[in-house]
């Protein structure tokens, strides 16, 4: 019973934190504000989360794993590995471009080296768990390549309005850059991956995605 109460309170704290981050951005949210929104004392909050960074890490993990877990499984696993990567990149970017609050959170994460490391580790674990990583090239190619394209993609995301880039435009550039620079893939291989990825993302139900995101810390474990 105590464990159930403990988990319920943790979910309530995470839910309050995520809401505040969407409203104000990571830098403008304090533990005191989170405690007040969660209707608990700051000392009680710190018994669960001594530092804000620990809370932010759980938010990142919860957000990204929720997205990964809710990719359309049946059709997703039947497509090309690079098409899968495109679909995942698109989904994350499209969520940020559609929701101003999540965009604040996403941009804060990408600008912070420690938070970005957590983000990268989750992606790496996902690539391994879904047997995608070993099909993207050698370990060195994947590590260096992903670091390169994520850095470039991040800059494009920040400049998306002045460059008039959509989420799919950025996802295409990132996938093409990886396949061309690090794998020397042919134009045909690249076009097939891009096309398969497009066929996948047009089937995404973004309303369902946002419904899942908005309730992700309210679900029973």
């Amino acid at each position: 019973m105590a464990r159930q109460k403990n988990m319920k309170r943790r979910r309530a704290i995470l839910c309050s934190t995520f809401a505040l981050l969407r409203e104000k951005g990571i830098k403008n949210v304090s533990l005191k504000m989170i405690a007040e929104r969660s209707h608990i004392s700051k000392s009680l909050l710190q018994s669960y989360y001594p530092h804000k960074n620990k809370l932010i890490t759980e938010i990142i993990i919860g957000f990204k794993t929720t997205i990964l877990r809710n990719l359309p499984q049946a059709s997703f696993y039947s497509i090309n590995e690079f098409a899968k990567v495109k679909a995942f990149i698109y989904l994350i970017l499209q969520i940020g471009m559609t929701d101003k609050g999540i965009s604040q959170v996403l941009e804060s994460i990408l600008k912070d080296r420690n938070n970005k490391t957590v983000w990268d580790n989750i992606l790496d674990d996902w690539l391994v768990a879904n047997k995608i990583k070993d099909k993207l090239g050698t370990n060195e190619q994947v590590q260096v390549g992903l670091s390169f394209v994520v850095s470039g993609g991040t800059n494009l995301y920040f400049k998306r309005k002045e460059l008039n880039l959509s989420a799919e435009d950025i996802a295409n550039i990132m996938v093409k850059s990886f396949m061309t620079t690090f794998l020397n893939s042919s134009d045909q291989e690249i076009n097939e991956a891009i096309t398969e990825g497009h066929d996948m993302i047009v089937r995404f139900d973004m309303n369902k995605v946002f419904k899942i995101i908005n309730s992700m810390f309210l679900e029973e474990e």
Side-chain angles (χ1 to χ4, degrees):
M1 191 71 177
R3 183 178 181 279
Q4 186 177 17
K5 182 179 180 181
N6 186 40
M7 295 308 298
K8 184 177 180 180
R9 178 163 285 152
R10 283 182 182 276
R11 288 196 299 271
I13 292 170
L14 289 170
C15 187
S16 297
T17 303
F18 189 51
L20 281 168
L21 295 180
R22 290 173 74 172
E23 291 171 17
K24 302 177 182 297
I26 290 176
K27 290 185 177 180
N28 300 318
V29 174
S30 65
L31 285 176
K32 182 175 182 293
M33 293 166 65
I34 295 169
E36 290 175 352
R37 179 69 68 93
S38 303
H39 305 293
I40 58 175
S41 67
K42 184 179 176 182
S43 60
L44 180 56
L45 170 64
Q46 289 182 292
S47 70
Y48 289 95
Y49 299 100
H51 308 289
K52 191 171 83 168
N53 282 346
K54 184 172 174 55
L55 255 173
I56 301 304
T57 297
E58 285 213 27
I59 294 291
I60 295 171
I61 292 171
F63 176 72
K64 198 164 187 180
T65 53
T66 295
I67 298 303
L68 293 171
R69 196 168 56 238
N70 286 281
L71 286 166
Q73 304 297 319
S75 53
F76 183 75
Y77 286 109
S78 66
I79 64 175
N80 176 287
E81 286 71 31
F82 299 100
K84 294 176 186 179
V85 174
K86 170 183 170 173
F88 171 68
I89 293 171
Y90 165 83
L91 191 53
I92 293 291
L93 297 181
Q94 185 62 23
I95 290 168
M97 290 184 183
T98 305
D99 187 291
K100 183 179 179 182
I102 292 179
S103 183
Q104 283 196 98
V105 178
L106 186 57
E107 291 186 19
S108 296
I109 290 169
L110 294 173
K111 288 175 180 177
D112 184 280
R113 180 175 295 180
N114 292 327
N115 289 332
K116 186 177 175 298
T117 298
V118 174
W119 185 269
D120 291 343
N121 289 339
I122 297 169
L123 176 57
D124 190 69
D125 290 343
W126 175 74
L127 290 172
V128 172
N130 289 280
K131 300 178 180 178
I132 297 174
K133 186 173 181 178
D134 59 348
K135 297 179 182 179
L136 298 182
T138 66
N139 187 61
E140 184 176 5
Q141 285 173 317
V142 175
Q143 294 299 331
V144 176
L146 286 181
S147 177
F148 174 79
V149 298
V150 169
S151 177
T154 297
N155 289 331
L156 291 176
Y157 179 75
F158 290 149
K159 297 178 180 178
R160 63 191 182 277
K161 292 182 180 178
E162 60 187 274
L163 296 175
N164 194 29
L165 294 172
S166 68
E168 185 170 10
D169 290 334
I170 298 174
N172 285 343
I173 292 169
M174 291 172 72
V175 170
K176 286 179 181 179
S177 295
F178 183 87
M179 294 182 74
T180 301
T181 306
F182 296 93
L183 299 178
N184 198 29
S185 300
S186 67
D187 289 343
Q188 181 178 343
E189 289 172 321
I190 294 171
N191 290 334
E192 286 175 356
I194 295 300
T195 301
E196 272 196 87
H198 175 78
D199 292 342
M200 175 84 264
I201 67 176
V202 294
R203 297 198 292 272
F204 285 156
D205 183 344
M206 295 307 295
N207 289 327
K208 181 180 178 181
V209 171
F210 278 107
K211 185 176 180 180
I212 291 167
I213 290 171
N214 290 332
S215 63
M216 63 184 173
F217 295 118
L218 300 176
E219 295 174 359
E220 292 294 330
E221 300 194 359

